[in-house]
């Protein structure tokens, strides 16, 4: 079932001279822009990786996720900025585990309450299926002792949902 379109996806500000812009009004405008962008992405593209986000074994129980970007199933940008991130792979099991990149939901707000951080975060989990707020990046194979034995790249590229261009051959 496709994700629903937020009820306020089409509501935005109608600016006027002398208008007092409250935080509630600015939040409405921000939500409009974020929802509109996500809706456009979701309708035009599949979830997946746009660039980067390669998972590599850093030795021992550590893996590194390179910086990059993608879209989740809701069309939101998944951005891992900077130098990427390093993760510890839990031991104790010989079963494979999986690295996903997840949209922050809810997005953390700084101590002063004025800045939200929409950076996505990589997570190691036991399930292969990506949640709606994330994408699958890699499968981590573990040996009988639970140590990292290898990394399998499971990234899927973002694909267009647009139909192929039809041409008149006749």
């Amino acid at each position: 079932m496709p994700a629903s379109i937020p009820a306020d996806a089409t509501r935005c500000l109608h600016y006027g001279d002398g208008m007092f812009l409250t935080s509630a009004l600015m939040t409405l405008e921000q939500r409009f822009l974020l929802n509109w962008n996500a809706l456009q992405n979701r309708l035009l593209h599949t979830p997946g990786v746009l660039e980067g986000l390669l998972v590599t074994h850093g030795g021992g129980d550590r893996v590194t996720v390179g910086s990059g970007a993608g879209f989740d199933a809701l069309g939101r940008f998944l951005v891992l900025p900077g130098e990427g991130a390093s993760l510890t792979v839990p031991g104790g099991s010989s079963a494979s585990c999986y690295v996903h990149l997840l949209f922050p939901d809810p997005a953390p707000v700084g101590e002063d309450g004025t800045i939200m951080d929409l950076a996505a975060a990589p997570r190691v989990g036991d399930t292969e299926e990506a949640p709606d707020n994330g994408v699958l990046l890699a499968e981590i194979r573990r040996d009988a002792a639970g140590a990292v034995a290898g990394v399998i790249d499971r990234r899927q590229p973002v694909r267009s949902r647009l139909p192929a261009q039809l041409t008149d051959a006749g």
Side-chain angles (χ1 to χ4, degrees), residues 18-74:
M19 184 176 185
F20 181 68
L21 296 176
T22 65
S23 63
L25 289 173
M26 295 303 290
T27 298
L28 172 71
E29 188 73 354
Q30 180 183 50
R31 198 168 41 248
F32 168 78
L33 293 171
L34 291 171
N35 283 338
W36 200 262
N37 183 265
L39 180 61
Q40 176 180 322
N41 292 341
R42 186 176 86 220
L43 294 176
L44 292 175
H45 308 288
T46 63
V49 174
L50 289 163
E51 178 179 277
L53 303 173
L54 180 65
V55 179
T56 57
H57 184 204
D61 62 353
R62 306 292 291 170
V63 294
T64 301
V65 181
S67 65
F71 293 139
D72 69 11
L74 301 176

Side-chain angles (χ1 to χ4, degrees), residues 30-151:
Q30 180 183 50
R31 198 168 41 248
F32 168 78
L33 293 171
L34 291 171
N35 283 338
W36 200 262
N37 183 265
L39 180 61
Q40 176 180 322
N41 292 341
R42 186 176 86 220
L43 294 176
L44 292 175
H45 308 288
T46 63
V49 174
L50 289 163
E51 178 179 277
L53 303 173
L54 180 65
V55 179
T56 57
H57 184 204
D61 62 353
R62 306 292 291 170
V63 294
T64 301
V65 181
S67 65
F71 293 139
D72 69 11
L74 301 176
R76 297 175 298 190
F77 275 104
L78 299 171
V79 178
L80 184 58
E83 300 300 315
S86 182
L87 299 169
T88 301
V89 177
S93 171
S94 61
S96 289
C97 58
Y98 302 89
V99 179
H100 295 95
L101 186 66
L102 305 175
F103 186 83
D105 201 9
V109 177
E111 288 183 25
D112 66 357
T114 61
I115 298 174
M116 284 191 310
D117 188 351
L118 296 178
R123 297 282 187 264
V124 176
D126 293 332
T127 59
E128 180 177 2
E129 186 175 336
D132 282 345
N133 71 325
V135 292
L136 176 63
L137 299 179
E139 179 179 350
I140 308 299
R141 294 279 172 96
R142 297 185 278 197
D143 64 19
V148 175
V151 175

